[in-house]
Amino acid sequence: MGRVTTRVRTTRLDTAAGAAVQRPDTLAVEEPLQVRVGGQPLTVTMRTPGDDFDLVLGFLHAEGLVTCARDVHALRHCTDTGADGLPTYNVVEVTPAPGVARAGSVVPRAFPTTSACGVCGVQSVDDVRQRLRHDVAADPLELDVALTAALPARLRAAQAAFERTGGLHAAGLFDAAGELLCVREDVGRHNAVDKVVGWALREGRLPLRSCVLVVSGRASFELVQKAAMAGVPALVAVSAPSSLAVSLARETGMTLLGFVRPPTANAYAGEHRLRTGGPAPLSR
């Protein structure tokens, strides 16, 4: 229903050889997606087409508008068309289930987002904390350090679109044994996570107990929030976390690892879940 990649002409510059050669290149597609709830526009996000329904469900879940698949009666792409007269599939209409509040009665305004946007529409950090439904701190998950450090490489191996473009973020959901349950790619790291959570919501897997969410970039506050909302007890990032991400992870009892690049990784929160091969937790 939309292209994940596209081909464009580019000029390859070689400064050492003083050469310029024209050749095709493969890029990740970025297009707008408007979300309508009950016929009312709610938001527009820039995303990579594909898994749009998962993206919408994950976004609505993070914003506290839906809690499970039963809250949504129907999802459909509207029949919008582009300049060429062909369908764009860039509008998703959400029909809430009977008795579920419309978006306008839950949030005071529709809010714009971008591919780089996270918790748009949330009025404050305290508001985010009040929305958390699952007791992440009580999750009994235990993680082998060596296995956990290997998860980013497993995620990278599953990034088919990144392999062709080099321009997409990814989020992957793993179980405690390191088995990949779901992977999603997008130009926006927040979108990739929303797509994973939306998949889990459709599959009736929420809360995501004893699971590990792995992201290909940094760990922002928004990603920790989305993970906590979905009941994920551990978040693993290839790059750095932000200070607020660490604070929220510690407050919710989530295990947060950053700079996971074997053989090293930094544990910023929830070290009690980490094991080095024996029965004892990681020493501090």
Side-chain angles (χ1 to χ4, degrees):
M1 285 195 177
R3 296 177 301 168
V4 176
T5 64
T6 188
R7 298 282 280 177
V8 301
R9 188 178 65 180
T10 183
T11 301
R12 176 76 171 185
L13 305 174
D14 187 334
T15 57
V21 179
Q22 287 193 345
R23 70 178 194 180
D25 194 13
T26 302
L27 301 181
V29 172
E30 182 176 26
E31 292 182 354
L33 178 71
Q34 184 185 67
V35 180
R36 298 176 185 169
V37 179
Q40 298 298 314
L42 177 66
T43 188
V44 174
T45 185
M46 302 302 296
R47 99 301 188 193
T48 299
D51 304 302
D52 286 343
F53 291 169
D54 288 347
L55 170 60
V56 171
L57 287 173
F59 175 81
L60 294 178
H61 181 269
E63 291 297 325
L65 300 181
V66 301
T67 60
C68 63
R70 294 189 303 274
D71 289 343
V72 176
H73 174 70
L75 288 162
R76 67 181 181 89
H77 278 104
C78 296
T79 54
D80 56 314
T81 58
D84 55 6
L86 298 176
T88 65
Y89 300 105
N90 284 341
V91 179
V92 169
E93 174 70 32
V94 182
T95 303
V100 176
R102 294 293 197 271
S105 66
V106 179
V107 293
R109 60 182 174 86
F111 39 87
T113 69
T114 71
S115 59
C117 185
V119 197
C120 301
V122 174
Q123 300 303 307
S124 67
V125 172
D126 289 338
D127 188 33
V128 173
R129 290 166 178 158
Q130 292 171 9
R131 294 185 185 195
L132 300 181
R133 305 181 188 93
H134 308 299
D135 187 359
V136 173
D139 195 298
L141 174 69
E142 294 185 357
L143 294 171
D144 177 84
V145 173
L147 183 149
T148 305
L151 296 183
R154 297 185 185 182
L155 174 63
R156 173 66 181 82
Q159 292 178 240
F162 180 86
E163 185 67 28
R164 288 178 283 159
T165 66
L168 288 169
H169 291 285
L173 187 69
F174 294 81
D175 65 17
E179 291 297 319
L180 179 61
L181 304 175
C182 176
V183 61
R184 293 290 186 265
E185 295 180 275
D186 200 279
V187 289
R189 60 174 62 88
H190 304 93
N191 290 343
V193 171
D194 280 339
K195 287 179 177 181
V196 168
V197 173
W199 168 85
L201 188 146
R202 281 195 302 103
E203 294 292 319
R205 289 175 173 262
L206 296 183
L208 290 168
R209 295 188 179 93
S210 296
C211 288
V212 183
L213 181 66
V214 181
V215 295
S216 60
R218 63 185 178 85
S220 64
F221 169 81
E222 292 88 355
L223 297 194
V224 172
Q225 179 261 345
K226 290 175 184 292
M229 286 286 288
V232 176
L235 177 62
V236 173
V238 172
S239 191
S242 69
S243 61
L244 200 55
V246 173
S247 295
L248 185 60
R250 290 176 176 176
E251 181 175 330
T252 60
M254 181 184 297
T255 297
L256 176 61
L257 274 65
F259 290 111
V260 181
R261 301 166 186 177
T264 63
N266 291 348
Y268 293 91
E271 294 92 339
H272 64 283
R273 290 194 176 94
L274 302 176
R275 302 290 184 268
T276 56
L282 190 68
S283 61
R284 299 185 63 181

